[in-house]
Amino acid sequence: MRHLRHHFADLVDEALLVSRELIRVAVLWHEKWYNRLEDASRHYFTAERNIDQMISILKPLHQEMMYGPETVHEMACVQKYGLDLQEAAEWLYWYISCPEPKNRSFLDQAWSRYYDVFRQIKR
């Protein structure tokens, strides 16, 4: 890949852009949220309570939404679930930024919003 980039930098950049765009339009945001919420809940609602893993699953989705929607499907997702997901993100970030011992009620509040979104998508 380095060899290709060295000799055909523009072509490699365009191929990466096309690849990212195909992935972005192939997996819709509401599908992504549904699957990731399901995965994150498996880490949170178990005896081990792997909160770090749960956060590592959800944080990139919140960051992606912060960049804003680009497609009609993404805009629809933001219109339908955006407020709940934004509120959940705030609770999640409050949990992340609070000093030890962590206030788990922040996560409970976040999961209340996540569950609402999960349930709506499932319909």
Side-chain angles (χ1 to χ4, degrees), residues 91 94-96 98-108:
W91 286 111
W94 285 335
Y95 173 83
I96 292 169
C98 78
E100 295 290 339
K102 297 286 189 180
N103 187 342
R104 286 255 318 279
S105 69
F106 292 158
L107 290 180
D108 294 337

Side-chain angles (χ1 to χ4, degrees), residues 42-57:
R42 283 192 204 114
H43 291 286
Y44 185 67
F45 295 107
T46 61
E48 299 88 41
R49 272 209 203 253
N50 191 338
I51 293 172
D52 291 335
Q53 186 65 34
M54 177 209 70
I55 291 170
S56 73
I57 291 170

Side-chain angles (χ1 to χ4, degrees), residues 33-87:
W33 273 103
Y34 184 85
N35 292 328
R36 301 277 172 80
L37 285 171
E38 194 170 46
D39 291 343
S41 70
R42 283 192 204 114
H43 291 286
Y44 185 67
F45 295 107
T46 61
E48 299 88 41
R49 272 209 203 253
N50 191 338
I51 293 172
D52 291 335
Q53 186 65 34
M54 177 209 70
I55 291 170
S56 73
I57 291 170
L58 296 173
K59 203 170 169 185
L61 290 173
H62 285 297
Q63 291 169 340
E64 187 175 2
M65 286 191 78
M66 283 178 22
Y67 293 124
E70 294 180 19
T71 68
V72 174
H73 291 291
E74 291 171 356
M75 287 178 204
C77 183
V78 169
Q79 286 176 344
K80 191 161 188 175
Y81 313 114
L83 291 176
D84 283 332
L85 291 173
Q86 182 179 359
E87 194 172 331

